[in-house]
Amino acid sequence: MPGGFRAMERTKLGRASSHEGQARRGPVSDGETVSSFGTLWNVRVVPILMGTCESFRITCGLYINISIHDYLRALMGFHQKNTPWTLDPRIKIPHGDDKTGVQRGIGNQVSVEFNLLYRFHSALSKRDREWSEEFFINAVMSRVESKDGIIDDQTGKPFKTTEEQIRNGEIPVPIFNKIIGADKNKGKSKEDIDTELAEELDRDSKAAFVPSGLQMIGVDKDTSAPTYKFRRDASGKFDDAELVAEMIQVIEDPICQFGGQNVPKIFKAIEILGILQARKWEVATLNEFRDFFGLKRHERFEDINEDKGITNALRDLYDDPDMVELYPGLLCEGKGRCLDPGTSGPNNGSTALWSGIFNDAVTLVRSDRFYTVDWNVGSLTSWGMHEVTADPQVLNGSVFHRLFQRAFPGYLKFNSVHLWQPLFTPRKNIELAKQQGDISSLDISDFKNGSIQSKGKAQQKIIKSSSEKVPDTVPKPTPVLKTSSYRDIRDKILGEYKAEFQNPGLLVKDIITGEYLQAMMTGTSPGFDRAAGIFQELFTPEIHTMFLDYFVKMSKEITEREKRSLQKHKISFEQEKKKLDHLRLSNGVLEREKKKLDDLERHFKEKTVHEQIYQIDIVKDYAIPVVTRFFVDFLGFWDCVQTPQHPNRQYNENEIYEHICNCQDYRSYNSDETTMWKRRLAFKKSIIFLREKAEYGARRARGFFGLIPRDNKTTGDRAYVVALRNFGVKVSKAFAKKLKNTDEVAAMMLVIALEAVHKSVMTFTEVLAYFIDHPHEKEPNVSNWIEIQNLAYENTPEAHETLKRYVLEAQRIRIDSPLVRLYSPTKPGKEFKLRLTNDTTDEITLRKGDRVLLDLRAAQECEKIFPDPKNGKSVDPKDAEIIFPNPSTLSLNPDDRKLKNYLIYGQDSHFTLGSKQITLLGLIGMIKYIALTKELRVAHDKLGRLKRAKTPEGVENYLTEQWNQLVPSPTTWSLRFNGEGRGVFADGDNADQGHGINQVYQIITRSDPLMTSYDSPAVSAANYPLATQNGFKKQPGTSYY
């Protein structure tokens, strides 16, 4: 197939993985000498080969899933049925591992009949036929008109022909053989043939490994070298815009009908050669082939096809149906000139062509060990397996769109009708999308008024070339503009012009169900400002205290529930005194610590002391449950969520947080277009779920008949929990007096709750990591954490205010959470001037539809900003506004760090809403309680590593527990502590402790579970989390040794 599909082989997925493989293993440094070839091979060559092979396996895995979930489904008609089912030959069948069943992975064998089966010449589209005619005309005429010409062996004269004769296929086979070089060895001895072959191989080995172009359009008359439509540039790459233009035209070009008498005339000589080749191979006849597949033999020519033209032609060529050859016979079956997949022959008989193709496809895939027995994460890696695995919820399992999006990012929208199913034309896709109810999810803006046309406006976007030798092209995608200009972000994009910069995800048609929720989430509801004002009035200092109390006590409750008991270790007075020495402040040891030292010394003289070590996943088993409990308590559907006292309720905390996470992930910046469909579907499902629960909570807040209040307390509920629920009810009732109905009240409550918890888990994790996570440092600076622990024990407003400043500074320095905005001006043609950095006065012009990435972390490194010069006068440095003096350092000075200068982390829609105050109080509360624990430190080995990775755009994301994809928020990070109490861990990076085999042996064989070494590794569920992986839940009071 010309151009478009061959170009798809240039996927960028494998190339990136190969580079990662080289970087991961590390090359030999400059100047390093390698003493032997073996060392050179192992150090330099093997890593490159391994990285390349890993990339090939992943890329081939994507291709095989395209074959199964797109190609086979298209041939079998399942795309029209709106079902994800497909014929997957890789499934395990009973007795598939022995000779009595259908075995897997035993090796491939490709029959010569397969070569004949797959000659789909009859289905070539009109555009492909025209391309083939031009190709043949150029190839033949260039040879005929060359100085040597082509000698006709029958006449002994130069062969002459015309373009019309070539189009009609009137090229004698002997002449065609000379053109393609099939008879170049005619009359030569074996020695001469071998010599020429060796010379040809030597020339090929010295030539470029890849062709200089794609889609040959002719041959140079002088050099006989092929000329190409698509040429590589100096870097060896093709122009993506040219390839995309070709791809669009190929997708919009429908194929023709399979069947007899449909092969283009230009292929006449090729069909003759095919028949002659089949005779040399001595392949079976059509009836013998049908016997092999258990199909009924054709007894009459009318059994092959009822079309008189086809049966008469067969009767003229063959005396009996048993004599019909395989190649012509395969294409002559069917109903008339139709042999499309699913077509039956006369008397509903099965056709040999499709029986053979589907059987051969199953055999080829099932026999390949790489796609069957070796189809696992061990061969493809977790990342690779996730990258290529089909998702039945996304486009019914189609994966073809991923290849286009990987190869040509940004050229087509994720919901482009061209990518919905690339093996069908947009016209057919629109027709099927309407039948299946998916038309509202697709972008059909390239089609006038959504009408079904054979060619859409996408063709009009293609810039046609003036010459056939110059390929068509399309406009290149506009890159996302990244700005770190503090003033433009604070005062313009998130300030004065906030309404013109929207989250692009929320602007997608029909993404949010519910009129009121759509208006509330985009800030366009008339009742939004009224409700925001009400909420601010209710958010009094007493409520501030109530929220802080809730988060501290809920954090304690969750910790007691989720912490895991590990080994105990023996402690001495010297060890404890050493730890307490870290609590020295500038004015010496505090009085209470002096008394504690005296008490400890007396205590250690009386008996041996052992201290219990605990471990907790600070993300999965601490931050997530705390955030989720707040969310359900505030919205009022707490009676639907399980607790230790009520385990039979409908939902657990993880299910609720998954919906919260789906909403925040969708609104977060993600440049990976291949995940957009899945994130969008997850967001739609989750926002509907949360809206229904918020409406349930709003109705519940009204009480019985709107008069009798409901009780917000059940068995096991603490006072601080009831206080938050009562506040939620109070807010809901206040909204009901100003808003239209319960649905609008529920929408406003849900917006507040989502904003309050937006990215709070990520922010808490990174803030905590800033203070206690010091990878590979032997003597980390723990002074900040010492002060935070002291503040946590001082339950005063002043201490809370200082703790807040620690949190704000940590998130300013540490958190990398950019926001993406789409410029949507209210007035047509309006332009916007934007600076890209803090230290420049140069501006770029934004136009409607431009996307801007707000780099908040870089923006908050701004030290000062200057006003714009007026009337040509220079700016006085005294007029500069001080933002963050010495921005790289943590400062608690109120004069240097004004609260109004902090860009609200994770802010995604509304600054006027007080929900971000709740977020900040939640962070302070969670940090405050975890600071009350003794010697908080990271866990051993990989459990103690916060797994981060940067995207190609430089945005910091997190790996999932399976290490198979990047997500905007962390999912796991394990910490250890020694119960509640004062004490800071200052013995280096605890994650570097490792697991010595001798230690493990001693732990297993020793009967006494008490450990004598400080925090030495143990054989436990924490270090070997098999129990956790299998879903085992720790029972209260259980210890692991």
Side-chain angles (χ1 to χ4, degrees), residues 139-159:
V140 173
M141 296 305 291
S142 62
R143 287 292 305 276
V144 170
E145 296 174 357
S146 64
K147 38 182 187 177
D148 294 334
I150 299 177
I151 304 300
D152 189 338
D153 293 338
Q154 294 182 350
T155 63
K157 299 179 179 180
F159 174 74

Side-chain angles (χ1 to χ4, degrees), residues 207-307:
F209 180 72
V210 293
S212 59
L214 282 175
Q215 190 168 329
M216 191 173 76
I217 57 176
V219 179
D220 188 274
K221 295 180 180 180
D222 298 326
T223 64
S224 298
T227 58
Y228 299 96
K229 180 178 180 180
F230 300 97
R231 289 190 169 275
R232 301 179 188 273
D233 59 19
S235 65
K237 298 178 181 178
F238 294 104
D239 187 342
D240 283 354
E242 295 175 355
L243 297 180
V244 171
E246 180 73 11
M247 182 189 78
I248 291 175
Q249 294 177 88
V250 168
I251 291 176
E252 292 193 353
D253 184 36
I255 64 172
C256 293
Q257 191 170 257
F258 287 90
Q261 298 184 341
N262 290 336
V263 178
K265 294 180 181 179
I266 192 69
F267 283 85
K268 181 178 179 180
I270 294 178
E271 300 303 296
I272 294 173
L273 289 175
I275 294 173
L276 295 175
Q277 183 64 65
R279 291 175 182 174
K280 290 181 179 179
W281 286 338
E282 298 181 358
V283 300
T285 64
L286 176 63
N287 269 342
E288 291 172 339
F289 188 81
R290 292 179 64 87
D291 282 341
F292 179 81
F293 286 100
L295 304 177
K296 184 180 178 181
R297 296 174 67 93
H298 296 311
E299 298 178 357
R300 304 176 303 140
F301 286 106
E302 287 73 12
D303 294 336
I304 299 175
N305 201 311
E306 294 177 346
D307 184 270

Side-chain angles (χ1 to χ4, degrees), residues 586-842:
S586 58
N587 59 347
V589 181
L590 298 175
E591 289 297 325
R592 61 173 177 271
E593 301 306 335
K594 290 181 179 180
K595 184 177 183 304
K596 186 172 183 179
L597 283 174
D598 295 338
D599 293 340
L600 279 173
E601 187 173 12
R602 184 172 58 257
H603 183 70
F604 277 104
K605 290 179 179 179
E606 296 175 357
K607 62 178 181 179
T608 303
V609 179
H610 294 91
E611 196 167 50
Q612 179 69 56
I613 296 176
Y614 299 96
Q615 183 160 304
I616 189 171
D617 191 316
I618 204 67
V619 176
K620 184 169 56 178
D621 297 332
Y622 182 86
I624 289 176
V626 171
V627 167
T628 305
R629 295 306 313 182
F630 158 77
F631 188 83
V632 301
D633 286 334
F634 178 75
L635 285 180
F637 65 97
W638 48 268
D639 55 344
C640 302
V641 182
Q642 299 167 8
T643 64
Q645 294 80 19
H646 303 279
N648 297 322
R649 288 177 178 170
Q650 190 173 3
Y651 307 105
N652 59 43
E653 293 166 349
N654 290 335
E655 290 175 303
I656 302 299
Y657 182 74
E658 182 179 358
H659 291 295
I660 298 173
C661 197
N662 288 340
C663 292
Q664 71 179 19
D665 287 358
Y666 176 74
R667 296 189 295 168
S668 301
Y669 174 68
N670 192 326
S671 61
D672 189 354
E673 298 175 0
T674 65
T675 65
M676 191 59 185
W677 267 112
K678 185 171 184 177
R679 292 190 296 120
R680 181 185 179 185
L681 293 173
F683 175 79
K684 290 187 69 173
K685 175 183 175 182
S686 294
I687 203 66
I688 290 173
F689 173 87
L690 295 178
R691 190 201 69 202
E692 292 173 350
K693 293 307 170 188
E695 291 172 354
Y696 167 80
R699 291 192 299 270
R700 196 179 188 284
R702 294 177 56 192
F704 296 100
F705 309 107
L707 298 172
I708 306 173
R710 297 177 184 269
D711 189 6
N712 289 319
K713 182 178 181 180
T714 57
T715 305
D717 290 339
R718 312 287 176 85
Y720 66 89
V721 174
V722 177
L724 176 62
R725 294 173 184 171
N726 289 337
F727 177 73
V729 170
K730 183 178 180 180
V731 173
S732 183
K733 287 183 176 180
F735 286 167
K737 295 177 181 179
K738 297 293 183 180
L739 302 180
K740 295 179 180 179
N741 51 40
T742 304
D743 290 348
E744 191 172 16
V745 171
M748 190 64 191
M749 292 289 290
L750 180 56
V751 168
I752 292 175
L754 285 175
E755 291 299 323
V757 301
H758 186 68
K759 296 186 180 177
S760 56
V761 171
M762 181 271 292
T763 306
F764 162 77
T765 305
E766 285 294 353
V767 168
L768 183 61
Y770 177 79
F771 294 117
I772 72 165
D773 188 18
H774 310 282
H776 314 302
E777 292 186 23
K778 295 183 178 180
E779 296 182 359
N781 183 0
V782 295
S783 59
N784 286 328
W785 190 243
I786 291 172
E787 182 59 28
I788 288 174
Q789 189 174 71
N790 290 333
L791 293 169
Y793 276 95
E794 296 177 19
N795 196 22
T796 64
E798 294 77 14
H800 294 159
E801 180 66 21
T802 306
L803 195 56
K804 178 174 73 173
R805 291 189 174 275
Y806 269 110
V807 170
L808 286 172
E809 276 291 270
Q811 63 86 15
R812 179 185 67 82
I813 297 172
R814 183 66 174 250
I815 293 175
D816 182 18
S817 182
L819 307 181
V820 61
R821 289 292 180 267
L822 181 72
Y823 180 51
S824 306
T826 53
K827 297 180 180 179
K830 181 180 178 181
E831 296 181 347
F832 185 89
K833 301 293 184 180
L834 177 69
R835 295 182 179 90
L836 296 184
T837 62
N838 285 317
D839 54 359
T840 182
T841 57
D842 297 335

Side-chain angles (χ1 to χ4, degrees), residues 146-199:
S146 64
K147 38 182 187 177
D148 294 334
I150 299 177
I151 304 300
D152 189 338
D153 293 338
Q154 294 182 350
T155 63
K157 299 179 179 180
F159 174 74
K160 299 295 181 183
T161 187
T162 64
E163 290 189 7
E164 187 63 26
Q165 288 177 318
I166 297 174
R167 292 183 192 278
N168 291 327
E170 297 174 5
I171 306 174
V173 172
I175 299 298
F176 188 81
N177 278 334
K178 287 191 175 185
I179 293 172
I180 63 176
D183 61 346
K184 64 180 181 179
N185 294 327
K186 187 175 181 180
K188 295 180 181 179
S189 65
K190 184 177 183 302
E191 290 75 12
D192 292 339
I193 295 174
D194 291 341
T195 301
E196 291 181 3
L197 179 60
E199 292 175 352

